[in-house]
């Protein structure tokens, strides 16, 4: 059964990455322009000390990428999925602009973590292959000087935050600090101190009837993450790099729903993006928001009706973009990794192009909204990106449907 034959929430809860297949294929439908297939690859040589194999696309910005890991415990809440586990726990990967030539190559994920994730998703790939994916991140890297906007990322349901590594690396290389949040018991393959790899307990408990509460629960996680990172006693040793007045948030699938839900009730978040997730709460008010999803499910009047209602509620700067040929996982690392395994759907969007489109548009959005850069890419369709359609388009300097200027 194709994932596109089900409702939007069912699409997000599916355990398979490709329609009816147990492969790592991440791209699904037709209608991809031939220009995309011939677009040049941006792959780079592996960092020193890493071997050939699967590799994430090279970041496009000028900064090297460092990474730390934080274990956060919200003692004011019990875990909603495993109450007997005690307080709610999060693992946060902190990506930061670093000095080139410092630190050691960071792993994509452990073999044990990859094995748990692949089993949960029913994917037939050696854990060593996925876990050994080359990154462009370094642990122990020395931070560069300056203050940078913070972007918080939340992954999709069942998928660990590591599947957003490529996007995190690229945003960091362009001049952001990026916090990727792993929510306990909501994905397979994530290790917690003293517990090891925890199971995806929520995988058997979340359905269409309680998807909204799941997103609201994540919103509490994300606001708590901001409390800790932006507070006077931040647990992150490089917290002085953060520009606390410039905070953005984005997520894929359930993470996108959570980003919108967080932004609707947390004024600290200045700009947000939803990558192919539904909307489950009131839309953010008077702040910029990017909707980026598949053409098949997230076009106006399409399968996911929540996007139509959210668009009407959004009353600040906003863009609704759809990508032809993309499927639900095209906005994650699974797309370019599938391409390297030879599993691109010949009728769908190539995984390499999926990665380029995701990082370029999300990167342009946060550069414009948090760093004040002029990003013409967000003005309208371009010949270089024929797969990307602007729904309800507005011209630069003109008024959005809300009457709000299209410039922040």
């Amino acid at each position: 059964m194709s994932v596109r034959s089900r409702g939007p929430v069912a699409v997000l809860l599916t355990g398979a990455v490709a329609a009816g297949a147990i492969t790592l294929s991440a791209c699904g439908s037709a209608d991809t322009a031939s220009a995309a297939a011939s677009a040049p690859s941006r792959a780079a040589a592996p960092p020193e000390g890493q071997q050939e194999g699967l590799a994430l696309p090279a970041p496009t910005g000028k900064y090297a990428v460092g990474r730390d890991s934080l274990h956060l415990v919200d003692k004011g809440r019990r875990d909603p999925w495993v109450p007997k586990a005690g307080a709610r726990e999060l693992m946060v990967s902190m990506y930061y602009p670093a000095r080139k030539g410092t630190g050691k190559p960071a792993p994509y994920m452990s073999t044990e973590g990859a094995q748990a994730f692949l089993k949960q998703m029913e994917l037939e790939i050696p854990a060593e292959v996925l876990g050994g994916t080359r990154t462009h991140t370094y642990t122990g890297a020395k931070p560069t000087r300056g203050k940078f906007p913070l972007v918080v990322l939340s992954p999709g349901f069942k998928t660990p935050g590591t599947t957003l590594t490529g996007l995190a690396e690229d945003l960091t290389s362009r001049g952001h600090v990026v916090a990727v949040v792993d929510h306990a018991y909501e994905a397979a393959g994530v290790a917690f101190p003293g517990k090891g790899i925890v199971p995806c307990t929520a995988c058997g408990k979340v359905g269409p009837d309680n998807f909204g509460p799941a997103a609201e629960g994540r919103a509490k996680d994300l606001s708590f993450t901001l409390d800790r990172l932006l507070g006077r006693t931040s647990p992150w040793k490089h917290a002085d790099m953060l520009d606390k007045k410039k905070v953005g948030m984005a997520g894929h699938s359930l993470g996108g729903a959570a980003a919108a839900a967080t932004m609707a009730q947390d004024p600290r978040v200045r700009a947000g993006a939803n990558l192919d997730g539904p909307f489950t709460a009131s839309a953010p008010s008077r702040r910029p928001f990017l909707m980026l999803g598949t053409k098949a499910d997230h076009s106006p009047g399409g399968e996911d009706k929540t996007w139509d209602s959210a668009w009407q509620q959004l009353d600040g700067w906003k863009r609704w973009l759809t990508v032809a040929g993309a499927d639900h996982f095209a906005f994650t690392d699974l797309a370019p990794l599938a391409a390297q395994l030879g599993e691109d759907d010949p009728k769908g969007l190539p995984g390499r192009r999926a990665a380029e489109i995701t990082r370029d548009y999300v990167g342009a959005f946060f550069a414009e909204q948090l760093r004040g850069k002029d990003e013409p890419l967000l003005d309208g369709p371009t010949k270089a990106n024929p797969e990307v359609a602007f729904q309800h388009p507005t011209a630069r300097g003109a008024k959005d449907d809300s009457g709000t200027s299209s410039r922040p």
Side-chain angles (χ1 to χ4, degrees), residues 38-357:
S38 60
S41 173
R42 303 182 190 178
E48 184 178 354
Q50 295 186 358
Q51 303 299 315
E52 292 290 347
L54 294 179
L56 297 177
T60 59
K62 66 179 182 179
Y63 294 104
V65 181
R67 187 178 75 195
D68 293 326
S69 180
L70 299 177
H71 176 220
L72 303 184
V73 180
D74 185 353
K75 297 180 180 179
R77 299 168 57 212
R78 295 188 70 83
D79 189 273
W81 310 112
V82 186
K84 67 180 181 180
R88 180 63 164 165
E89 297 182 61
L90 308 170
M91 292 302 300
V92 183
S93 297
M94 299 296 302
Y95 294 81
Y96 57 93
R99 299 180 189 179
K100 294 181 179 180
T102 65
K104 297 180 179 180
Y108 186 65
M109 61 192 311
S110 69
T111 300
E112 182 183 7
Q115 186 174 28
F117 170 62
L118 293 168
K119 181 179 180 180
Q120 176 66 51
M121 300 297 284
E122 301 180 353
L123 302 174
E124 291 185 341
I125 304 159
E128 295 81 4
V129 173
L130 179 61
T133 297
R134 291 199 314 274
T135 71
H136 302 274
T137 299
Y138 296 84
T139 59
K142 295 181 179 179
T144 192
R145 294 180 179 179
K147 288 188 177 293
F148 302 89
L150 170 65
V151 177
V152 179
L153 300 180
S154 181
F157 184 59
K158 296 186 179 183
T159 58
T162 192
T163 59
L164 297 179
T165 299
L167 177 58
E169 288 183 337
D170 196 65
L171 287 171
T172 302
S173 76
R174 297 184 185 210
H176 305 84
V177 171
V178 180
V180 180
V181 181
D182 272 303
H183 311 260
Y185 303 107
E186 294 185 15
V190 183
F192 284 78
K195 297 181 178 179
I197 304 292
V198 302
C200 184
T201 305
C203 290
K205 297 183 178 181
V206 176
D209 294 335
N210 62 349
F211 188 83
E216 293 293 333
R218 278 205 181 186
K220 294 178 181 178
D221 292 343
L222 298 176
S223 284
F224 175 73
T225 300
L226 292 183
D227 291 343
R228 300 293 285 122
L229 292 179
L230 305 180
R232 292 184 179 181
T233 58
S234 174
W236 187 42
K237 61 184 177 181
H238 301 311
D240 57 348
M241 298 182 70
L242 298 175
D243 185 336
K244 297 181 179 181
K245 295 183 179 180
K246 296 181 178 179
V247 177
M249 191 169 289
H252 170 249
S253 190
L254 175 58
T262 305
M263 194 172 172
Q265 50 93 30
D266 194 329
R268 294 173 296 185
V269 185
R270 287 184 47 177
N274 183 349
L275 310 183
D276 213 53
F279 288 85
T280 61
S282 299
S285 177
R286 296 294 174 183
R287 280 165 289 163
F289 204 88
L290 172 68
M291 301 160 60
L292 178 64
T294 63
K295 176 182 178 181
D297 293 316
H298 288 111
S299 294
E303 186 78 15
D304 188 348
K305 305 301 183 184
T306 68
W307 279 43
D308 293 279
S309 58
W311 179 260
Q312 295 302 319
Q313 294 180 57
L314 290 169
D315 56 3
W317 186 103
K318 56 184 179 180
R319 292 291 184 273
W320 179 342
L321 309 182
T322 54
V323 185
D327 82 350
H328 184 56
F329 289 92
F331 308 96
T332 73
D333 294 343
L334 300 185
L337 296 183
Q340 293 172 49
L341 290 170
E343 295 178 9
D344 265 341
D345 185 336
K347 297 182 180 180
L349 180 70
R352 171 180 46 78
R353 279 294 293 153
E356 292 172 356
I357 289 170

